[in-house]
Amino acid sequence: LGHFCLLYSTPLLPVALKSIAVTLSIKDFVAGVSVTLNYENEEKVPLEAFFVFPTDEDTAVYSFEALVDGKKIVAELQDKYEAHLKYEEDLSGGFHTYLLEEDKCSKDVFRCNVGNMQPGSKVTLTLKYVQELHLEDDGALCYVLPATLNPRYHLSDQSVDSCLDLKTPIVPLEDLPYTLSMVATISSQLGIRTIQCNCPLSSIDYTGENKTSAQVSLAEGHKFDRDVELLIFYRKVHSPCVTVEMGMPERESDTLMGAPSAMVSFYPDIPEVETSTKCGEFVFFMDCSGSMKNPMSRQNRSQLRIDAAKETLILLLKSLPLGCYFNIYEFGSTHEAFFPKSVRYTQESMERAVEKVKLMLADLGGTELLTPLRKVFRKPPIPGHPLQVFVFTDGEVAESFNVIKEVKFHSKRHRCFSFGIGEGVSTSLIKNLARVSGGTAEFITGSDRMQSKALRSLRRSLQSIVEDVSLSWDLPPGLFVHMLSPEQTVVFRGQRIITYSLLAGQIPVNEATGEVCLKYTSHGKSYEEKVTFSLHPKPDDNLTSHRLAAKSMIQARDFGYKETTLIFKRDVLDISLESGIISSFTIFVAINKELNEPVYGPLYHRDIPRPILFSCKRLYWCLSGRRTLPPSASPPGGQPPRSKATQVGQKYSSNRISQHFIFFSLLKGSMEHTVAQLILLQNADGSWDMNEDLAKVLGSSLEDIKAAHPTEVLEPSSAWATVLAVIWLHANGKELKDEWELLERKAVVWLQNNAGRSTFPLMSTANKLLKTSVSSSIFTFKD
């Protein structure tokens, strides 16, 4: 849960945080969370508790309270402007009022001074929030409890008070003074297939018919030395589901929090369809700020971010379709475009871009994206080539709210695919860039490979989008639906939709049901999904759907305290105060409920240490299910295995590398290194040339390859080389298929157009030469 900070001038004294307890309630695709922190001041002087909490952009904080020596202090949501005026008055009078607010530099970090602790006093803090949960590629629902708030880069001349670069002492695990306990309850009519966690669990107890509910808890004494990652696999994950939630009985029935709400969750199983589109203008924005010199993860010998970025750009360039347009922008405190305007994708333009990528360095200072974005948006569109924007960054971009606002303003003519690199990136920026433009967001942390996630987004950008998404409702007479979520008419394969609505009118007293129908079209074919739901649900004290609906409405209007228009500001303020969901215009003020006045206290500070973190992004300790430790992995509590992707070597100087074999920082001889060399040799049209460099990658000599060529088969010399390269990828690079799949398709299409049926006689000879047994079905041709 980030840094739980007590700040004080004297180091190496006992710290006050003793334990953290988390109660988690997951229903379908959303969660309600309660976090309790227990502090004790063992000193002889009063201390101030400074609390910093990192959240996800899709998280809605709605409650914060403290129990100080039996006295209850509740933080109430108030107008930020009015609260800060009162705050200044208190300061001038020698007092201090404690406020919980979004960090001034990021909307996904909360900070709060929680009051003074007298010597010997005990304090219990409780924070409550709700959130939409992320879906993994394999359909697993994922809840993450972050173990630390990583420092983020922001401009050196920024004078705002921010906790993004807050530092805390790092101590060995055995010296960590606090422990974590977590109990999770999961329920869904979709049925639970299995539950997994990267930390030891004490048990998994399934209840209900067809395993529709379960309870899990962490093993006792967990030291919180890593992010806690809980995965839930539903049996019917692709089936739509509807959650109806009754409003607050004390509120008017026609208000946001008083009326019943309906949340529709849908993760459609859209078939993957091959596309040969050659349309599109692809513009890549790559962060070249100083922080890109940092390693991708905390693991030893982890690849530098800038090196992974350069490899990713080359892979993207090689995977673009012939006939499209492209450009690349490096950005930091300044920016530079590879070309004055987007150029047609040809062999010549691709080679020029690759040479420029070789020379990229993480030396551009800050992270200012707004200016180059505006330059791209203000250029005239290329007819027949819709704009696709790819943004890669590892930190907090300057003027984040204005960047998001600019992307939203131009969302009718482009889609933005955003990538957060490393643990410290702003989820608010990355998710909002994709959300307001209809793109997708990816986060690259730990041992994740940037290349595979970037190619996944490129594949999505090349797919024909699923269109005409619509919801229709069949409800009892006198009951109507008022949609709250922004209309989403487009969905990508692998994307999940959540929409929020209010039910207006009178719900029948007797047991009643409703039906919702979701329709969409893809590649000219219509799809339809229906689900029946009860209009008499069980009560939810968290009001999860209502609060997430309010969060959704705030997200669509809130662009920051100074950047939001006056019309939207009034809406955001009203929604925030009614729902209790914090926004840029509201703030939680700690109130002593016994005295009904703000809490005051002195200003002594102390750091709470954090552990040397165990980085194990995809290492799963499983009680049951599909994910198991690989043979080389250590059991929980041992050292994590290093994947090939994280076993990286020194950075190679670009001026010492030959034309084809550039900077790849993976260990020489690794499969990633060899695949990267083969990819670098591919031409823009998808073919490979027969030369010494290709022979080295294939593990043969050029003479042997030429001698093995069947003399009776007549085709361009590049066809034999291309067949060999494609077969080698299928035989040796299966684990990296996500990264070379697009460029392999280009090769197959090139063979279809230039060699035709003569490709098949080459198959058996190629398999014999390479000592492989790849099936000829990999070459699929149209008659």
Side-chain angles (χ1 to χ4, degrees):
L1 263 44
H3 300 307
F4 302 96
C5 303
L6 292 179
L7 309 174
Y8 185 62
S9 58
T10 306
L12 303 178
L13 293 176
V15 297
L17 180 61
K18 299 303 178 184
S19 65
I20 309 167
V22 178
T23 302
L24 173 65
S25 176
I26 297 175
K27 184 172 179 60
D28 298 327
F29 297 102
V30 298
V33 187
S34 176
V35 181
T36 300
L37 311 171
N38 292 298
Y39 295 89
E40 182 176 356
N41 182 8
E42 298 175 339
E43 312 241 356
K44 297 180 180 180
V45 296
L47 298 176
E48 179 205 20
F50 180 59
F51 176 77
V52 177
F53 179 74
T55 69
D56 187 275
E57 164 63 16
D58 295 323
T59 295
V61 175
Y62 68 90
S63 175
F64 185 68
E65 62 183 40
L67 192 65
V68 183
D69 295 327
K71 298 178 181 179
K72 189 174 184 180
I73 300 172
V74 178
E76 295 181 352
L77 199 64
Q78 298 182 11
D79 184 309
K80 179 180 287 188
Y81 177 75
E82 296 176 357
H84 274 292
L85 286 180
K86 183 66 166 63
Y87 177 80
E88 295 298 331
E89 293 176 4
D90 293 336
L91 283 181
S92 63
F95 301 105
H96 196 86
T97 304
Y98 297 105
L99 310 173
L100 172 69
E101 59 185 317
E102 294 175 343
D103 188 84
K104 292 179 176 64
C105 286
S106 184
K107 295 180 69 175
D108 59 356
V109 177
F110 294 89
R111 55 180 296 162
C112 182
N113 290 320
V114 296
N116 70 4
M117 296 176 60
Q118 296 300 321
S121 68
K122 296 181 180 181
V123 176
T124 298
L125 308 177
T126 301
L127 179 86
K128 296 182 180 180
Y129 63 93
V130 292
Q131 71 177 118
E132 296 178 2
L133 297 182
H134 170 69
L135 273 170
E136 300 281 287
D137 289 343
D138 53 6
L141 193 68
C142 182
Y143 171 76
V144 177
L145 193 66
T148 183
L149 169 64
N150 291 274
R152 294 183 189 164
Y153 176 87
H154 56 82
L155 296 179
S156 59
D157 60 352
Q158 274 187 330
S159 59
V160 297
D161 179 24
S162 173
C163 60
L164 296 185
D165 53 2
L166 187 67
K167 302 286 175 59
T168 57
I170 299 177
V171 299
L173 182 62
E174 59 270 17
D175 295 335
L176 197 67
Y178 52 89
T179 59
L180 168 72
S181 63
M182 185 178 82
V183 177
T185 302
I186 303 105
S187 63
S188 177
Q189 293 304 311
L190 300 176
I192 303 168
R193 187 198 310 157
T194 187
I195 299 171
Q196 300 171 8
C197 186
N198 66 330
C199 301
L201 300 175
S202 61
S203 65
I204 300 180
D205 300 318
Y206 293 101
T207 56
E209 295 182 8
N210 299 318
K211 293 169 66 174
T212 54
S213 59
Q215 181 169 300
V216 301
S217 56
L218 285 180
E220 187 175 354
H222 181 67
K223 280 287 190 178
F224 211 5
D225 58 333
R226 68 197 77 175
D227 292 353
V228 177
E229 188 170 321
L230 188 67
L231 297 177
I232 300 101
F233 292 85
Y234 290 136
R235 288 187 296 105
K236 301 177 182 178
V237 68
H238 292 295
S239 298
C241 58
V242 180
T243 301
V244 175
E245 182 179 271
M246 303 308 294
M248 301 171 70
E250 66 273 18
R251 301 285 180 91
E252 295 292 332
S253 61
D254 60 349
T255 62
L256 173 61
M257 300 303 291
S261 69
M263 178 181 67
V264 180
S265 308
F266 190 43
Y267 179 49
D269 187 12
I270 301 172
E272 184 174 11
V273 179
E274 295 283 338
T275 177
S276 58
T277 180
K278 296 181 180 179
C279 299
E281 178 188 4
F282 299 88
V283 180
F284 305 97
F285 291 89
M286 182 57 69
D287 187 346
C288 289
S289 63
S291 57
M292 287 290 285
K293 296 177 183 176
N294 294 332
M296 287 292 295
S297 75
R298 305 180 188 92
Q299 297 180 13
N300 292 333
R301 299 171 65 82
S302 180
Q303 188 178 26
L304 298 183
R305 295 173 183 177
I306 189 63
D307 288 338
K310 292 162 79 171
E311 293 175 17
T312 300
L313 275 178
I314 286 189
L315 187 57
L316 287 167
L317 286 170
K318 293 288 182 176
S319 302
L320 290 176
L322 275 176
C324 72
Y325 287 77
F326 79 99
N327 205 350
I328 298 174
Y329 283 77
E330 304 173 73
F331 72 93
S333 297
T334 60
H335 67 274
E336 181 180 350
F338 278 24
F339 306 99
K341 62 180 181 179
S342 293
V343 296
R344 184 175 287 273
Y345 179 72
T346 64
Q347 181 68 24
E348 180 184 1
S349 62
M350 184 201 71
E351 288 179 350
R352 286 181 61 192
V354 168
E355 290 302 314
K356 287 177 176 287
V357 169
K358 298 177 189 179
L359 303 176
M360 286 176 59
L361 298 172
D363 61 351
L364 294 185
T367 316
E368 299 183 42
L369 176 60
L370 185 59
T371 301
L373 262 181
R374 283 176 171 167
K375 282 191 175 182
V376 169
F377 289 147
R378 290 174 183 176
K379 293 181 184 295
I382 302 173
H385 292 271
L387 179 61
Q388 314 266 19
V389 172
F390 291 71
V391 175
F392 297 81
T393 182
D394 72 338
E396 181 69 29
V397 169
E399 298 187 87
S400 291
F401 296 128
N402 281 331
V403 169
I404 295 166
K405 189 176 181 179
E406 187 77 12
V407 169
K408 182 177 182 180
F409 183 78
H410 295 279
S411 61
K412 298 297 183 184
R413 58 163 291 208
H414 89 289
R415 289 183 294 185
C416 182
F417 299 84
S418 52
F419 303 84
I421 305 168
E423 290 87 350
V425 73
S426 166
T427 66
S428 174
L429 172 71
I430 298 302
K431 287 195 172 184
N432 272 311
L433 287 178
R435 181 181 60 82
V436 300
S437 65
T440 56
E442 297 279 4
F443 292 90
I444 302 131
T445 59
S447 60
D448 292 345
R449 279 181 61 78
M450 190 187 306
Q451 296 88 329
S452 61
K453 294 200 171 186
L455 265 292
R456 179 167 62 194
S457 290
L458 181 60
R459 282 195 297 272
R460 287 170 174 168
S461 73
L462 293 171
Q463 287 178 357
S464 297
I465 57 176
V466 171
E467 300 175 286
D468 304 323
V469 179
S470 64
L471 284 176
S472 59
W473 300 76
D474 183 7
L475 299 172
L479 200 57
F480 308 94
V481 171
H482 174 57
M483 296 294 294
L484 299 178
S485 299
E487 184 180 19
Q488 183 173 348
T489 60
V490 173
V491 61
F492 294 100
R493 183 175 183 270
Q495 196 173 21
R496 188 258 321 273
I497 298 175
I498 294 182
T499 62
Y500 300 97
S501 308
L502 290 183
L503 299 180
Q506 188 65 40
I507 294 181
V509 177
N510 299 326
E511 182 64 30
T513 60
E515 184 181 80
V516 66
C517 177
L518 186 142
K519 298 179 181 179
Y520 55 92
T521 59
S522 177
H523 299 278
K525 185 178 180 181
S526 297
Y527 295 85
E528 183 177 298
E529 297 279 354
K530 293 183 178 180
V531 60
T532 301
F533 55 91
S534 171
L535 289 170
H536 293 275
K538 295 179 180 179
D540 180 0
D541 294 337
N542 294 323
L543 291 172
T544 305
S545 296
H546 282 80
R547 301 191 195 279
L548 287 174
K551 175 71 173 181
S552 173
M553 296 171 71
I554 291 172
Q555 279 180 322
R557 297 164 173 82
D558 188 354
F559 294 99
Y561 190 79
K562 295 181 179 180
E563 294 83 0
T564 306
T565 62
L566 290 176
I567 296 176
F568 280 161
K569 177 181 177 180
R570 187 70 256 174
D571 284 347
V572 171
L573 185 59
D574 290 343
I575 295 168
S576 179
L577 291 175
E578 180 181 356
S579 64
I581 301 300
I582 200 167
S583 71
S584 297
F585 305 100
T586 50
I587 188 169
F588 280 109
V589 180
I591 302 292
N592 187 321
K593 298 303 288 186
E594 292 187 0
L595 301 177
N596 197 30
E597 62 184 28
V599 178
Y600 305 107
L603 296 174
Y604 296 93
H605 301 285
R606 154 128 347 118
D607 287 331
I608 286 186
R610 56 189 171 96
I612 300 171
L613 292 180
F614 180 102
S615 183
C616 56
K617 174 66 177 174
R618 304 302 289 171
L619 175 62
Y620 287 96
W621 178 77
C622 308
L623 291 178
S624 61
R626 303 179 320 191
R627 285 198 177 103
T628 57
L629 289 174
S632 60
S634 303
Q639 293 297 317
R642 284 210 308 265
S643 67
K644 293 179 181 178
T646 60
Q647 297 172 0
V648 294
Q650 74 274 19
K651 179 181 177 182
Y652 297 101
S653 175
S654 60
N655 60 5
R656 295 171 55 192
I657 307 300
S658 70
Q659 179 178 3
H660 291 302
F661 299 95
I662 61 168
F663 53 83
F664 291 98
S665 58
L666 298 163
L667 282 180
K668 186 175 180 180
S670 71
M671 184 53 59
E672 290 91 342
H673 175 80
T674 309
V675 169
Q677 294 180 67
L678 184 59
I679 289 171
L680 194 60
L681 294 173
Q682 190 186 34
N683 297 317
D685 61 7
S687 67
W688 274 267
D689 294 329
M690 182 62 69
N691 53 42
E692 290 283 358
D693 290 335
L694 178 64
K696 290 178 182 178
V697 173
L698 299 179
S700 185
S701 68
L702 184 59
E703 292 73 17
D704 289 344
I705 291 177
K706 288 182 175 179
H709 178 259
T711 57
E712 70 277 7
V713 178
L714 299 177
E715 86 295 320
S717 61
S718 295
W720 176 228
T722 303
V723 168
L724 288 169
V726 171
I727 289 177
W728 188 95
L729 282 172
H730 279 273
N732 300 282
K734 291 180 181 179
E735 292 183 358
L736 300 174
K737 185 176 181 180
D738 286 346
E739 299 178 19
W740 52 256
E741 188 174 22
L742 282 179
L743 56 89
E744 183 262 359
R745 291 180 188 176
K746 287 173 64 176
V748 171
V749 171
W750 183 89
L751 285 169
Q752 175 185 356
N753 295 332
N754 293 273
R757 293 293 178 180
S758 64
T759 301
F760 292 101
L762 300 173
M763 282 290 303
S764 59
T765 306
N767 273 319
K768 183 177 180 181
L769 174 67
L770 299 176
K771 297 181 175 59
T772 57
S773 56
V774 176
S775 170
S776 61
S777 62
I778 64 173
F779 298 105
T780 304
F781 299 102
K782 298 178 181 178
D783 294 325

